[in-house]
Amino acid sequence: PSQGYYTRRGGVGESGDFITSPEISQVFGELIGIWYISEWMAMGKPNTFQLVELGPGRGTLTDDILRVFKQLTSVLSKCDVSVHLVEVSPKLSEIQAVMLTGGKVQPNPEDKSAYMKGISKTGIPIFWYRDLQDVPPGYSFYLAHEFFDALPIHKFQRTEKGWREVLVDIDPEVPDQLRFVLSPSRTPATQNFIQPEETRDHVEVCPEAGVIVQRLASRIEKDGGAALVADYGHDGTKTDTFRGFRNHKLHDVLSAPGTADLTADVDFSYLRKMAQGRTATLGPIKQREFLKNMGIDLRLQVLLQNSGDTATREQLLHSYDMLMNPEKMGDCFNFFALLPHHRLVHPDRKDKPESKSPLPPVAGFSELLLK
């Protein structure tokens, strides 16, 4: 709590330890904003809309999304929109408050579950919470961008004696250094977190991610909405992905704890299992496919036409390359969504297939049809 990386520094951005897509290009957040509006329309334009972001970083992504909402005010005019940020880091919540409200916030509002509230520069109420469970129920769209990869994992190794957990120990030969060891016998985690059908020899499991996905799925099942997860990860194929970043370089996870960003690839097959069939799941789909489906090429052309100087044009093309190039972020980042079952299958479709109009495709996971 006091020496953790995000509590002490949380180095997002050029000067920090890692950089995220919203920090690279405004287009990323704009397209995500369009995804939410597209899904809101496909679900019949409900009259309230909570945007809930888990681990919002510096608030850049929310800021870009709110700019899209502002531009589409006419579409959202009859809808009561609010923003709910789930953030545990006091330092990051201050940065978010400045970014989104210009620093005009009220700590400890009378609404006890939120620890801070304010009004965005575009006039939308924003609330801060420490836990997803504190966010009020209701029709909500959830966003988790580079959130699940920062949650703690358990590591397991298959041995001749069965599964053993990988633990951290003090190195007896160098007392001020840490080392990895295998548990001498089975641990409670080994018994609880390894799926019986597991074929890999080394597995990373993030139980906290499982719990959060279960909560998201039950909220969506009950109140409607959708969740969009964007992160680097795999579909149950990778083994050892736990690593550290410091000053944009790989860093030994066991040296100088609390000073580097620790991360592990998200196992989307595990998230799908943890949704337990309460919602439909889509993806994972590669970031470049998702953004292409969302019309990034069209948006880039518009921005290039509107930019007067060469430097801006070069920056736009450079950031497009960062997001889309398979060698950079294009292939290692994935999008994954949780949606109510009725969003993909009409509840009464089974009886009279011809009676209902076809459901609109889910943008991003298939091509966005621009009307």
Side-chain angles (χ1 to χ4, degrees):
S2 58
Q3 295 301 307
Y5 174 75
Y6 283 100
T7 332
R8 285 171 57 171
R9 44 192 302 191
V12 189
E14 293 278 355
S15 60
D17 297 305
F18 58 93
I19 190 156
T20 64
S21 300
E23 308 286 327
I24 291 169
S25 169
Q26 65 176 70
V27 178
F28 184 83
E30 289 172 350
L31 296 177
I32 287 181
I34 289 168
W35 189 85
Y36 285 116
I37 289 185
S38 156
E39 275 308 293
W40 171 76
M41 291 168 79
M43 294 184 193
K45 302 186 183 174
N47 53 12
T48 57
F49 176 149
Q50 297 192 147
L51 176 66
V52 182
E53 188 177 0
L54 308 178
R58 294 154 63 100
T60 315
L61 186 49
T62 306
D63 198 45
D64 291 338
I65 292 171
L66 290 180
R67 192 170 57 252
V68 170
F69 287 5
K70 173 101 176 117
Q71 286 163 346
L72 295 172
T73 307
S74 57
V75 182
L76 289 164
S77 61
K78 294 188 177 67
C79 183
D80 179 13
V81 181
S82 56
V83 172
H84 304 260
L85 305 177
V86 179
E87 179 58 76
V88 292
S89 161
K91 192 169 175 185
L92 286 172
S93 61
E94 278 171 37
I95 295 172
Q96 294 151 15
V98 171
M99 163 81 75
L100 297 168
T101 71
K104 294 196 256 310
V105 288
Q106 177 193 338
N108 309 322
E110 56 292 350
D111 167 17
K112 288 289 179 280
S113 58
Y115 63 82
M116 189 162 77
K117 74 171 188 181
I119 301 281
S120 80
K121 295 169 188 165
T122 57
I124 288 173
I126 306 185
F127 303 85
W128 278 262
Y129 310 84
R130 292 200 169 80
D131 194 306
L132 173 61
Q133 281 168 285
D134 297 334
V135 177
Y139 188 87
S140 303
F141 282 112
Y142 301 91
L143 174 57
H145 174 266
E146 286 201 51
F147 169 75
F148 285 109
D149 69 77
L151 298 177
I153 55 161
H154 287 264
K155 281 174 86 66
F156 304 98
Q157 180 72 45
R158 197 193 291 270
T159 70
E160 287 164 12
K161 296 175 187 154
W163 285 100
R164 293 291 180 262
E165 187 169 3
V166 179
L167 303 171
V168 177
D169 184 24
I170 289 168
D171 192 332
E173 288 171 15
V174 197
D176 60 346
Q177 279 185 22
L178 300 171
R179 61 171 186 167
F180 285 121
V181 292
L182 287 182
S183 61
S185 56
R186 288 171 68 93
T187 60
T190 329
Q191 273 145 320
N192 290 316
F193 300 138
I194 301 278
Q195 307 286 338
E197 66 277 15
E198 188 54 70
T199 55
R200 290 169 286 178
D201 289 334
H202 189 104
V203 182
E204 295 166 337
V205 180
C206 177
E208 205 175 318
V211 170
I212 290 169
V213 164
Q214 285 176 4
R215 286 184 188 147
L216 291 173
S218 62
R219 278 173 163 246
I220 291 166
E221 182 183 43
K222 193 162 149 258
D223 301 322
L228 189 62
V229 176
D231 224 315
Y232 39 87
H234 56 91
D235 210 6
T237 51
K238 289 193 181 174
T239 54
D240 181 16
T241 71
F242 181 44
R243 58 205 184 279
F245 283 97
R246 194 167 165 184
N247 301 325
H248 302 269
K249 292 189 178 69
L250 280 169
H251 174 88
D252 175 6
V253 290
L254 294 182
S255 77
T259 63
D261 171 45
L262 301 183
T263 181
D265 280 20
V266 177
D267 182 344
F268 289 104
S269 68
Y270 177 70
L271 299 192
R272 193 183 300 112
K273 275 195 191 93
M274 291 299 119
Q276 296 170 321
R278 287 178 187 158
T279 58
T281 59
L282 287 177
I285 178 175
K286 290 184 177 9
Q287 174 167 296
R288 70 189 157 91
E289 290 177 46
F290 180 89
L291 296 176
K292 203 169 197 59
N293 286 338
M294 289 303 300
I296 189 171
D297 295 334
L298 199 63
R299 182 72 185 121
L300 177 72
Q301 292 312 318
V302 172
L303 289 169
L304 287 171
Q305 281 160 13
N306 295 344
S307 63
D309 61 302
T310 326
T312 312
R313 279 205 192 88
E314 276 174 8
Q315 177 55 41
L316 283 167
L317 290 166
H318 169 71
S319 56
Y320 175 88
D321 182 60
M322 280 289 285
L323 293 176
M324 299 294 281
N325 189 328
E327 306 287 300
K328 295 175 183 169
M329 289 174 150
D331 272 7
C332 58
F333 275 81
N334 292 278
F335 279 77
F336 178 81
L338 302 175
L339 297 152
H341 288 293
H342 62 75
R343 173 63 185 90
L344 301 176
V345 183
H346 280 300
D348 52 357
R349 201 65 189 267
K350 299 179 208 57
D351 321 326
K352 308 187 282 286
E354 64 291 333
S355 66
K356 281 274 189 157
S357 57
L359 288 157
V362 177
F365 295 88
S366 47
E367 220 168 312
L368 177 68
L369 302 167
L370 294 161
K371 297 275 193 301

